[in-house]
């Protein structure tokens, strides 16, 4: 059972994109991806909202996510959010098996 968290970072004058770029260029993203239990850590930008960046962050378990939340990475992320004056919304999802009836809608 994976846990996926969608975080939307919103700022002004391109600050959300600069935040994501600094996260990537500083090596913080690679360090998070290397943490035990991380399944996915990817940034996206909506086509119709240049002031928002979406982070899709997935973990194997609540335990792995809790360890990440206690890591030094969180202080780095918090400082960068403050630097770029970002606001956030958060959605949390727990994975489940898809019913076989949905397979016909999925192209693999």
């Amino acid at each position: 059972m994976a846990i996926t968290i969608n975080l939307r970072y919103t700022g002004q004058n391109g600050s959300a994109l600069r935040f994501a770029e600094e996260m990537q260029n500083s090596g913080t993203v690679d360090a998070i991806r290397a943490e035990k239990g991380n399944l996915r850590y990817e940034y996206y930008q909506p086509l119709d909202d240049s002031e928002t960046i979406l982070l899709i962050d997935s973990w194997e378990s609540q335990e792995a996510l809790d360890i990440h939340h206690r890591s030094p990475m969180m202080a780095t992320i918090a400082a960068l959010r403050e630097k770029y004056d970002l606001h956030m919304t958060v959605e949390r999802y727990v994975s489940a098996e898809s019913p076989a009836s949905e397979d016909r809608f999925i192209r693999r």
Side-chain angles (χ1 to χ4, degrees):
M1 171 181 70
I3 297 168
T4 299
I5 302 167
N6 290 350
L7 294 103
R8 284 180 181 78
Y9 293 102
T10 302
Q12 295 180 354
N13 302 315
S15 62
L17 179 58
R18 289 193 309 277
F19 162 79
E21 289 171 340
E22 187 165 345
M23 287 284 293
Q24 182 69 47
N25 295 336
S26 69
T28 304
V29 168
D30 288 335
I32 292 168
R33 288 177 179 158
E35 287 183 273
K36 184 177 180 186
N38 182 263
L39 301 173
R40 183 177 189 186
Y41 197 91
E42 298 173 340
Y43 289 103
Y44 297 91
Q45 187 168 41
L47 295 175
D48 62 349
D49 183 357
S50 63
E51 297 300 337
T52 297
I53 292 291
L54 168 65
L55 167 62
I56 300 177
D57 186 16
S58 294
W59 296 86
E60 286 180 353
S61 65
Q62 184 62 51
E63 179 183 15
L65 181 58
D66 290 344
I67 291 168
H68 167 66
H69 283 159
R70 290 190 302 267
S71 77
M73 242 63 81
M74 293 309 296
T76 300
I77 295 167
L80 287 176
R81 283 193 307 240
E82 198 64 31
K83 174 182 176 180
Y84 290 103
D85 191 27
L86 299 179
H87 299 273
M88 301 165 47
T89 61
V90 179
E91 299 169 334
R92 179 184 166 104
Y93 303 94
V94 177
S95 65
E97 292 294 320
S98 297
S101 62
E102 292 181 4
D103 284 347
R104 64 188 170 114
F105 298 110
I106 310 254
R107 183 175 183 195
R108 299 187 199 275

